[in-house]
Amino acid sequence: MFEPDAEAMPAEQLAALQTQRLRVLIDRLLAAGGVQAGRLAEAGVTGGGEVSLEDLAKLPTTNKQDLWDTYPFGLLAVPREQVVAVHGSSGTGGRPTLVSYTKGDLALWSRMCARALAAAGAGPGTIIHNAYGYGLFTGGLGIHQGAIELGATVVPASGGMTARQVRLIADLRPEILTCTPSYAIRLGEALAAAGLTPETGLSLKAGIFGAEPWTPEMSGRIEVMLGLRALDIYGLSEVIGPGVASECIVAADGLHVNEDHFLVEVLDPATAEPLPDGSRGELTFTTLTKEALPLLRYRTGDISAVSRGTCPCGRTLLKMSKVTGRNDDMLVIRGVNVYPSEIERVLLSEPAVAPDYVLVIDERNGGRELIACCERLTGRTAASPSAGRSVPGAGADPGTEVGGPVCPQDELSQRLEHRLRETLGLRVRVAMVPPGSVPRTEVGKAVRVRRWSAGEPPVPGLAG
Ligand code: DLL
């Protein structure tokens, strides 16, 4: 553990620390004035001293709209001159969400990312290949600063230029890979094409993947392809970036939330009422110690559940389950609500299907038909199981079809269509497209859903 005193703190001590930090935060918000102070005053809160953790649900919330309304610096709780960096995300509709950091915030963020790296087994000197994009996106620089804080050796590969990344991985032999799960697949394919697989001595031991939803099925595929343990890391620009929560390599069954700094609640997305542990709802965070942009009860839109208890790794920090999607990712197809991740789970449960896919909403004839475009797995996208869970069907010679007895395309599509209808109650057309048709992520987050309203299909190889 990077900060064992905090990460393995007894529950009562943690609650006392959170209470004390919450009170200080409320005093700071009131003193800063602006939107959050106004809402606190409306709720009748005049000072932090009167607030306890039990009162949290009565306090006002914040959301992305507040950041947009006050763009770019309206929610600052420090003088503008104390901001040493800004980051953000391009966000929905092209509107950037910008967030600010003081020197103290950057130091905190580095420690949170150092915790995540240490939880994956990294330590001083461990070589970390960081393929999260560097720039306004928080992934690249967040992990970079965390690696330095830990004393590890970071390779700032950033996203894209995959051939160069293959070369760097071959030459520098990193143990840890950090990137989005969709880019891990892209990299795995490129490494395999260059003859670098777990069998030929790929050096990777753990991967820290996040920034987009990914299922356990996707995780299993990545583990087989790259011969590493695939761990999840979660975060969002508004709260700090990556490092809000991350999985440990010991248990790898949920993400430890750094709740000494980020107080977490799970709310009913419709009513905003708090939900009990174990129930899935909207993750809501209060940043207890951030200076430039402290946020009270920030509603993320991300769906997950939390559970408490001491982990075999020794951490007492509660765990959140994998984020299955965002409120606004939900597709409504002929009255059925479905998250892309639910479809992913069904598609990837079929060993003959490659791990990349794209969902097309066909709106050409005034309707809303859903088409799942998948590729058949070939030797290029397969590798023998050597670490983690084994995936049936993996391990073929390059260039051969894998996935058990070769079945015709039509039969495979029909099987998947049947399974999707059984599991989700949804009629989905499954189109098997030629290898290489599904667009690969070169940088950043995968776009899993595309609309088709007129003209050429959005996925080459997809017939009308
Ligand atoms: O994606 C921060 C990050 C960078 C996290 C690198 C992990 C690794 P934003 O660009 O602001 O920040 O996007 C935040 O991405 O609200 C979620 O919807 C989604 N997201 C982030 N991590 C995960 C994850 C970064 N592990 C938004 N699983 C969040 C599912 C994730 N979704």
Side-chain angles (χ1 to χ4, degrees):
M1 277 182 235
F2 181 67
E3 293 183 309
D5 289 350
E7 294 174 71
M9 191 180 276
E12 316 76 64
Q13 201 182 325
L14 179 63
L17 180 68
Q18 288 171 326
T19 307
Q20 179 243 322
R21 287 181 170 172
L22 179 64
R23 290 178 173 163
V24 173
L25 167 72
I26 287 175
D27 284 336
R28 274 197 301 127
L29 288 173
L30 286 168
V35 177
Q36 298 194 79
R39 284 186 198 156
L40 280 167
E42 260 171 50
V45 181
T46 54
E50 48 194 90
V51 173
S52 68
L53 288 181
E54 289 70 44
D55 301 322
L56 198 57
K58 294 184 214 139
L59 299 178
T61 59
T62 45
N63 59 31
K64 209 183 252 294
Q65 189 66 45
D66 295 323
L67 281 144
W68 286 336
D69 290 348
T70 56
Y71 176 89
F73 292 122
L75 287 180
L76 280 191
V78 297
R80 224 290 295 131
E81 297 68 35
Q82 287 180 25
V83 172
V84 297
V86 292
H87 277 280
S89 56
S90 46
T92 7
R95 259 194 293 188
T97 306
L98 271 199
V99 296
S100 301
Y101 301 78
T102 62
K103 270 192 184 170
D105 292 332
L106 289 185
L108 168 68
W109 189 19
S110 303
R111 295 203 321 272
M112 297 302 104
C113 287
R115 284 188 188 180
L117 292 164
T126 304
I127 300 183
I128 297 168
H129 183 97
N130 184 20
Y132 283 115
Y134 280 60
L136 212 50
F137 175 53
T138 52
L141 282 159
I143 296 291
H144 184 97
Q145 291 158 168
I148 291 172
E149 179 71 26
L150 184 63
T153 309
V154 63
V155 183
S158 193
M161 291 203 263
T162 303
R164 190 179 71 176
Q165 307 231 9
V166 168
R167 182 67 201 253
L168 285 170
I169 290 173
D171 293 348
L172 301 182
R173 301 191 52 74
E175 285 180 23
I176 305 265
L177 170 66
T178 55
C179 61
T180 58
S182 50
Y183 191 62
I185 297 280
R186 168 79 188 93
L187 207 46
E189 288 178 355
L191 286 163
L196 270 170
T197 63
E199 293 66 46
T200 61
L202 203 53
S203 55
L204 298 168
K205 296 206 168 89
I208 308 178
F209 306 124
E212 63 189 11
W214 54 307
T215 59
E217 285 72 16
M218 181 71 87
S219 172
R221 297 296 186 94
I222 296 173
E223 291 193 337
V224 168
M225 241 180 160
L226 291 170
L228 47 65
R229 204 72 213 263
L231 303 172
D232 202 343
I233 182 166
Y234 168 84
L236 62 165
S237 314
E238 300 90 307
V239 173
I240 204 156
V244 174
S246 57
E247 271 184 324
C248 62
I249 197 159
V250 176
D253 66 348
L255 298 85
H256 290 287
V257 178
N258 287 317
E259 48 173 338
D260 50 332
H261 295 283
F262 312 114
L263 198 54
V264 61
E265 297 169 86
V266 178
L267 305 185
D268 180 322
T271 64
E273 285 302 315
L275 293 172
D277 289 358
S279 299
R280 272 153 42 95
E282 181 176 358
L283 290 173
T284 300
F285 289 99
T286 296
T287 64
L288 291 173
T289 53
K290 250 174 54 174
E291 295 170 349
L293 186 66
L295 289 174
L296 187 61
R297 305 191 75 213
Y298 183 77
R299 296 188 58 171
T300 64
D302 294 324
I303 305 296
S304 172
V306 298
S307 61
R308 281 162 225 272
T310 302
C311 180
C313 73
R315 288 178 182 80
T316 50
L317 299 170
L318 64 71
K319 285 185 195 173
M320 56 177 256
S321 60
K322 264 179 133 44
V323 169
T324 44
R326 298 178 47 77
N327 275 340
D328 40 19
D329 281 347
M330 195 174 70
L331 303 173
V332 184
I333 306 289
R334 293 184 301 277
V336 180
N337 298 351
V338 65
Y339 285 105
S341 61
E342 295 177 279
I343 299 175
E344 175 179 308
R345 293 194 73 151
V346 176
L347 297 177
L348 299 193
S349 68
E350 175 58 67
V353 168
D356 245 318
Y357 66 94
V358 67
L359 306 177
V360 172
I361 303 176
D362 184 358
E363 296 171 329
R364 283 173 307 159
N365 302 316
R368 254 171 101 74
E369 297 297 318
L370 192 57
I371 311 171
C373 299
C374 313
E375 293 172 16
R376 182 182 269 285
L377 198 63
T378 63
R380 203 165 57 86
T381 48
S384 298
S386 67
R389 297 146 239 170
S390 75
V391 166
D397 291 329
T400 57
E401 298 281 359
V402 293
V406 176
C407 76
Q409 298 265 94
D410 284 356
E411 212 175 286
L412 182 58
S413 309
Q414 280 167 17
R415 203 155 68 203
L416 283 168
E417 285 172 3
H418 176 74
R419 217 174 281 167
L420 284 163
R421 194 179 315 196
E422 292 255 289
T423 325
L424 307 174
L426 189 66
R427 186 156 43 82
V428 181
R429 187 180 131 205
V430 174
M432 300 304 298
V433 293
S437 304
V438 172
R440 302 297 196 263
T441 316
E442 262 307 316
V443 272
K445 313 185 184 207
V447 178
R448 295 285 186 212
V449 181
R450 296 186 176 213
R451 292 181 193 283
W452 187 10
S453 46
E456 291 298 302
V459 176
L462 171 64

